[in-house]
Amino acid sequence: MRAHRLMALFAAALALVARPALAEELTVAVTENVVPFSFRGEDGALTGFNVEVGRALCEAMAATCRFEAVPLAQLVDGVAEGRVDFGLGNLLKTPERERRMAFSQPYWRSTSSYVARRGAKPGTDGLPPGSATIAVQAGSRQEKHVGETLAQNGLAVLTAASIGDVLGLVADGKAEVALVPTLAGLGFLRSPAGKDLDFLGEPLSGGNLGGSVHIVVAPGRPELLARLNGALDAIQKDGSYHAMTRKYFPFSIY
Amino acid sequence: MSMDPQLGRLRLAPLIAGAALAVLVILAVFLGSFLYEQGRIARIAEGARAAVGPTILERQRAATNIERLKSLGDIAAGSPDSRTRREAALAAEALAFHPGFAFDPELQAQVRAARRTIATAAAGYDDLAAPETFQAWSVTRRELETLADQLSLDAAATIGDFFDLIDDAAHRSATVSTVMLPTVALFLLLVAWAARRHVVRPVIAAARAMDSVSAGSPEIALPPTRIGEFATIFGAAHRLASLVQALETARLSAEEARQALAASEARFRAVFEQAGLGILQCDADCRLIAVNPALARMLGGEPDDFVGRPMQALLDPETCQPADLLRHRGESGTLAEREARLRRRDGTPLWANITLTRLHDESGQQGQLLGMVADVSERKEAEAAMAEMMDALRRSNADLEQFACVASHDLREPLRMVTSYLTLIERRSGDALDTSGREFLAFAREGARRMDGLILDLLEYARVGRGDQPAQPVALNAVVAAVLRDLEILVREAGARVTIAGDLPVVRGNAGDLKRLFQNLISNAVKYRAADRAPEILVEAAPDGGNWLVDVRDNGIGFEDEYSGRIFLIFQRLHNRAHYPGNGIGLSICQKIAESHGGRIWADSKPDAGSTFHVLLPAWREPQRGDLPALAKAPAPTPATGPAPV
């Protein structure tokens, strides 16, 4: 009897140890409503550049991935707290973020741009004269930049969970201007919802508003980080990454 | 052979340390150069990975995006659809500010200038100035093409530079290898040569020397060395070879000594086993440890019957005690030599002469005793028989002497009576006698006188050579001188000349008897002189073994050789008493004296050619035990056949 108990305990322990290897399932978070990075298509399915990159990475890692479309702030918190294995939220590397999570090697490069209604002209501060409200994505680097610079001049800051919602505030006239990632803004401007909007001034890269974009990984997962970097190299070498950029962007975004 | 100390000034440890340090330095330089070049190549590779590759990729992506920008410009400038032109212009706006052009500010400025042309073209499509705008775009488009070409050229140049770096690294690596490898190889060869010359060869030489020494050969050949340790080793090898040689010499000597000892032992054993003389060997406690067969036969047993017994068990305590034999007698180690009576196994006595020698061991301590035992039983018996004979002879001589004395005295008494009465007859009746009567009376008185002379001579003959006087040293010079003084008148009247050749010896005997001997010989030489010449008498002596031969030579009348024995017989004469008076007893007395001294007398002569009387007398020496009155080298006298001299 005692031997049977020991064998059963050993089998259970073996099953616990072998379980991740037999069927590894990773939770992948993407930001919601960010055309063309991650958005739901006409059929309601989650799609976009980041979604396809994420799937290609999971395939390269031979992992089963479960994608979640969440707001940027929730994505950051989920990765930082380990509830999400890795996230593709177009995140720039900042010291604050590096303290909370791990960053992969860059997989594309970004700038930030002001978006305002067509015909608007930038003032001395880069905003349309008389602007009282600016919209930014909650938890984004743009929100932090606005909070550190423009908000001190009495400018009201409106935040939204997604880039689409941020630019919708400008399109709806709730904000005179929005500060968003250039490629996300380009995607919105090229859509019907953005037909009345336009870039305001030249794209910005200073003040941590531009730079390389990384996949964020839950802290304490160096093996997963290494596997992700290896998968990024693999999809770049096999041409699948290049095909995805051509699919979603009019030029090479790396 | 000793090594020159000047050759051993260098020490091995510092040399090895120095060589090792030099090797390490050379290898470190080579390794450092190699590692430096490897690091340089690694840095080039890392630079290529970190800079060249990204640089090329960056330019390729930039060139690609310029092509995209050209496409967007074409759409913006030529598309009839305003939305399409707007999207193209927006994309061109985003593209112009993409960080992908940031690596080259001039390129970035040209691209941003191009996006303004595109924006202008897109916005002015419906304007009257469109041709100029399109023309401007065409110019910008060619500039973009030039930029794309330039980017391709830059990428190619970057690749070329990269290959130049690789070539340079390969060249430097080849140079390092070309220079350093032969240098290191040459240095290692130099080190190997030096190690072989100064380390390996001395070690091999030392090993061969050790092989030679092990094989027993003292001849070893070692090269000169400047290394102190090898000098020490070589010196030790030479000393070892010397020791081996000394040991070999000692071994050979020991072998020779052993063989000599074995031969000596064999000889001793042969002597011991086969000698007729008895030999015994005792330990320090006088216990017999060996008895040879001869001694065992003497004692009536086998050698093993006596081994282990004390030596005193062999002695008859009535004649000898062991302490008598063990009394030390001299530095030669010989102990008492004496005659002792032994006891045979059956208890019968055995007279033996025993000589013991104390043997000394290697440390000089007295140890075993070696004894020689000679069976002297027969000699003892002979000596006893001789003693008995001598006693009987002595008694007989004494009786004869007594008889002679008594006879002479008793004979002379009636003779004196006869002479006295003959004298009375002549004195009282001489005148009454006629001539014949007086002549007869004279004959009777002459006969009585002659008889008295014969009796006196006989009495003298009996008295000489009695041997009752102890032997003494007698200087013949003094004896002959005394004789010549007594015969001075006789010699002078005869005109004789007596010559003594050199010194006469000292002999052992009785001075009075010897004086009588030489007096008889010299007086005979004068008496029997030739009528036609003056007597020449020569006395000379010569050694003869342990004796002296004294000759008395004259030039007298001589005699036939056949009478050389007869002349020594008592009362024998060779001549008429009327010519040569005498009773014929002088030479008999000489013979008795010579023989009583243990000597002999004999004569050589020829008629009218003189005579030589030879007297052999014993030389004087200190009396020794066992001296016997016998002489061996005297020719036997010729038997006397002729008449005795008168």
Side-chain angles (χ1 to χ4, degrees), chain A residues 143-246:
Chain A
E143 181 189 17
K144 185 173 180 63
H145 175 76
V146 169
E148 292 173 351
T149 56
L150 302 179
Q152 298 174 0
N153 298 328
L155 190 66
V157 179
L158 290 178
T159 62
S162 67
I163 296 296
D165 293 340
V166 170
L167 294 175
L169 291 173
V170 178
D172 294 342
K174 295 178 181 177
E176 288 83 8
V177 66
L179 182 58
V180 296
T182 300
L183 289 180
L186 176 62
F188 186 84
L189 294 178
R190 295 175 68 184
S191 67
K195 60 181 177 61
D196 296 327
L197 302 182
D198 203 351
F199 288 121
L200 179 66
E202 297 177 349
L204 304 174
S205 58
N208 286 331
L209 292 175
S212 58
V213 178
H214 305 262
I215 301 171
V216 291
V217 182
R221 303 288 297 278
E223 76 292 345
L224 178 59
L225 179 61
R227 292 168 64 195
L228 274 175
N229 287 331
L232 280 172
D233 288 337
I235 64 175
Q236 284 179 333
K237 288 179 180 177
D238 66 10
S240 56
Y241 173 83
H242 182 67
M244 284 182 277
T245 56
R246 285 189 65 87

Side-chain angles (χ1 to χ4, degrees), chain A residues 250-252, chain B residues 62-76 88-97 101 107-108 110-116 118-119 137 140-141 144 147:
Chain A
F251 54 87
S252 174
Chain B
T64 300
N65 279 338
I66 285 176
E67 290 297 327
R68 300 289 176 82
L69 187 61
K70 285 166 55 183
S71 299
L72 292 173
D74 290 339
I75 294 172
L90 287 173
E93 180 77 11
L95 174 59
F97 287 87
F101 297 113
L107 171 65
Q108 191 175 40
Q110 288 180 301
V111 169
R112 290 179 182 180
R115 64 89 178 163
R116 282 194 291 272
I118 292 173
W137 163 242
T140 299
R141 195 175 188 283
L144 289 176
L147 282 177

